[in-house]
Amino acid sequence: TSEEYNDYMESLESEFIGIGIEITKEEKDEYPVITKIYSNTPGDRGGLKENDILIKVDKKELAGLDIPDIVELIKGGSRGDKVKLTVKREDKTIDKELSKEIVTLPTVEHKVLTSGDKKIGEIIISNFSKNTYNEFKAAYDSLKKENVEGLIIDLRDNGGGYLTAAAKVTSMFLDNSKVIYIEKKKDQEEKILSHDDKIIKEKVVLL
């Protein structure tokens, strides 16, 4: 649908007006559950917690509503707009009033995995947005300081994104002017080539 397309394009920009939470709802559930709270966002600073059950938004009962309808109640508007959430946490019902902000979502996460005395860096890329290259390079630089011996690049839940962003990340693994992508249109062929010299020289496993 057009709404799904707009949501997807918004995700590639990695910025939106909101409070910085993710919610899910199983078919058997009456209400959505907060599954993730992004660091240093209104939801984080306002004291929301993962596994809080979201019951109301601005006093509107959420029972029976689909996730896109609930998200629409929370996101959007202008910076500084207030939104009041009612959540259930264990046996308590809690009201939270939060101010919406411009939320920037990360598309790259990284961590160090250890096996004996060996260190392996893992980088997870959720999609290829306008910020992904800078985030990826920062993640790699951080792992390099940890003296990792190899890298795991996890793309398993990657939703795609901008080809230019994917090409910039790929260029870090390739020598200059290597073919990354070929698109054929009728009798014409367009090639996207790697640029700059190969930066990443560690052994890499791609998931």
Side-chain angles (χ1 to χ4, degrees), residues 74-125:
I74 301 172
K75 283 175 61 178
S78 302
R79 186 176 182 178
D81 286 352
K82 304 290 186 182
V83 60
K84 186 175 181 180
L85 308 183
T86 301
V87 300
K88 186 175 181 181
R89 183 180 302 162
E90 297 177 349
D91 59 347
K92 297 180 181 179
T93 300
I94 304 169
D95 290 327
K96 298 282 187 180
E97 185 174 73
L98 307 174
S99 295
K100 298 181 183 181
E101 294 180 1
I102 297 174
V103 176
T104 302
L105 297 184
T107 62
V108 175
E109 298 178 22
H110 73 281
K111 58 186 174 182
V112 176
L113 307 175
T114 56
S115 177
D117 59 349
K118 293 184 177 180
K119 292 182 178 181
I120 303 296
E122 181 180 33
I123 303 178
I124 303 168
I125 308 176

